[in-house]
Amino acid sequence: MGTLLESIHSPADLKRLNYAQMAELAEEIREFLIQTLSKTGGHLGPNLGVVELTLALHTVFDTPTDKLLFDVSHQAYIHKILMGRLDRFATIRQPGGLNGFMLRTESEHDCYGAGHAGTALSAALGMAVARDLSGGKEHVIAVAGDAAFTNGISFEALNNIADQTKRMIVVLNDNEWSIDRNVGAIARYFHRIVTNERYRNLHDSAARIVEKFGGKTAVTLARRAEEAAKSMLWPSILFEEFGLQYFGPIDGHNLPLLVETFRFLKAENRPVLLHVLTQKGRGYQPAIDRQKKFHGLGPYDADTGDTKPAGQPTYAEVFATTLVQLARQNEKIVAITAAMPNGTGLDLFRPHFPKRYFDVGIAEEHAVIFAAGMATQGFRPVCAIYSTFLQRAFDPIVHDVCLQKLPVVFCMDRAGLSGDDGPTHHGLFDISYLRGIPEIVLMAPKDEDELADMMKTAVEIPGPSAIRYPRGAVAGVARKPEPQSIPIGKAEVLEDGSDVAILGLGPMITLARQLAGRLEREGYSAAVINPRFVKPIDREMLEHYARRVAAFVTFEDHVKMGGFGTAVVEALEDMGIAVPVVRIGWPDHFIEHGKIDDLRAKYGLTVDAAQLQVLPLLTRRQRPALVAS
Ligand SMILES: Cc1ncc(C[n+]2csc(CCOP(=O)(O)OP(=O)(O)O)c2C)c(N)n1
């Protein structure tokens, strides 16, 4: 690690540097990021793009007094490094270490936590208005990527900003990429501004002025910066109509230009938007060449950027290849993603059916209502949206899809604990938020073969349906050449038994099997059941076992509250049956980031914990005949 970086302990240390030192520091930070993240994994590309931008922001503004927000905040690593977390940075995304996003509990410099896109402008406006009401003087700056402007909330905020405050700075960090290429009219609009010759000339001459005078006396600098900024000022119709003064586009890697521009904007008494052009992956060729991969990735070889070859396919890949199979048989099937073609696997579907593939941008609510519209016209939309991001679309699911009984299929990847990304990304609430909605069929496959069967079933259901499956590698079972539909609302009994019925939802069936094995060895007869359906739940199966067993055990990778186990309890209660249910799932609080196995052990999602809870219930029943076997 270079000496300059080590010498930065506070915002004041940063402010003492001249431009040459800042440029040196920027290079040190890049090298530090490339090396450190090669071991931990993380959002390398986005952070390499905002090194100079973050340095400039922290040079001009004073956090924690001034409020600096990053949209999504996956690009806030440099902010963390500069704001007191250099020593711990190697722990990022590691158990017990720094979170990969901004966290209010992690530092006073993290004024707002995030992980989902589109929140920075609204939250910043809230802070600016709070400041105005309480007579404060601080600055509020929201940094948002170009893809964040494909999100409705950003525009809802823009619609409000000029009416509510006179002082707020929005920085549009435009690198032309979302995770994939940014899409839609807004992306094209930004592109037109950037490629417009007139803008280019203006900003080139502005950059020359600032470069020429950078380093001279403060008075000269201030005057020249103002001239530079004014010469860059060129009304961008869109933002001007929203009442924000538009500046830019400026080179987001030119430190003096950034610093002087922020100094100028700091003195403005009107809401402003600065359009900054950056390059994702700047300074690291593997990240520039492989933009999608380096948006966010696991450990890699720092010299080559290579990662370990994947072993088993992922659930996302099985989802995508199955959808191709199904789409061949049914021309009404269309696929929709909200800016996640890569993560959901739909980029494998796109080349087969380019006209039946839709990336709507980071716009989950729109994605769902758009699907509803297509469904009214006889299409079979399949919305591939992570469990955590589908939270955004709760009302469209209720109001547009389910209320109208429209046959939209929700394929929820990353359902269950997401691991390293932490609480903003864990998919632990989808059963709770979907289960209470009338009309929806909710399923969870135990393995990849069943995922394919459930997808076939889902596209045949005349109403809404949802399938939840986890992040990462599949179970590795044999696959049927063609998926088969399964009977709706019917569980699959894998092993019959008469003392205890163990239900393992989705891949949690593995824990159910392990528990059954242990209990069998203790002399109990254990049934192992793959519930398949959370809704409609198989009441016949529950009633059948309720008459025979002393207890049920449910395993789910979901919060217990409102989850699958709760559905079992409710169904038994409705049937007037009193059999104890040991529910194994996540407790009623937000789970931190970490390794999945460690967190399961910590929070009792284990066979040991289940055994401990269920044994007393079985012992009380006293079954000597079985104990003897
Ligand atoms: C609501 C929501 N949907 C999807 C995502 C997944 N996601 C994380 S970052 C990202 C792209 C962000 O692009 P941009 O804002 O332009 O920032 P960049 O990474 O290019 O710096 C997406 C789609 C998310 N975080 N939140």
Side-chain angles (χ1 to χ4, degrees), residues 74 115-117 145-148 175 177-178 280 295 362 364 389 392:
H74 62 303
H116 289 198
D146 49 307
N175 54 30
W177 285 86
S178 182
K280 236 170 157 165
H295 173 86
I362 312 179
E364 288 79 7
F389 301 143
R392 278 280 168 86

Side-chain angles (χ1 to χ4, degrees), residues 318-336 346 348-358 379-382 409 452 455-460 482-483:
V318 172
F319 156 74
T321 49
T322 307
L323 197 60
V324 171
Q325 259 181 314
L326 295 172
R328 284 207 177 102
Q329 292 153 15
N330 181 349
E331 62 180 21
K332 293 293 183 190
I333 290 177
V334 293
I336 300 169
L346 279 185
L348 302 172
F349 177 91
R350 174 171 37 186
H352 294 276
F353 300 102
K355 291 205 168 122
R356 290 154 71 184
Y357 161 87
F358 303 91
F379 281 84
R380 287 280 173 168
V382 174
V409 180
M455 288 174 64
K456 178 162 169 63
T457 311
V459 295
E460 291 166 355
E482 287 290 325

Side-chain angles (χ1 to χ4, degrees), residues 607-618:
V607 176
D608 284 347
Q611 187 177 6
L612 217 63
Q613 290 174 64
V614 77
L615 268 180
L617 301 169
L618 305 184

Side-chain angles (χ1 to χ4, degrees), residues 478-531:
R479 298 270 314 273
K480 296 188 288 296
E482 287 290 325
Q484 304 291 322
S485 10
I486 55 174
I488 311 273
K490 277 266 151 252
E492 179 191 29
V493 176
L494 298 174
E495 306 251 359
D496 198 12
S498 54
D499 289 323
V500 56
I502 310 171
L503 286 68
L505 186 70
M508 296 296 269
I509 197 69
T510 317
L511 273 65
R513 282 193 161 118
Q514 287 166 10
L515 177 64
R518 289 212 200 158
L519 294 177
E520 294 276 349
R521 284 193 288 282
E522 300 241 352
Y524 297 102
S525 160
V528 179
I529 296 148
N530 166 25

Side-chain angles (χ1 to χ4, degrees), residues 112-127:
Y112 200 77
H116 289 198
T119 64
L121 271 62
S122 297
L125 179 59
M127 290 180 194

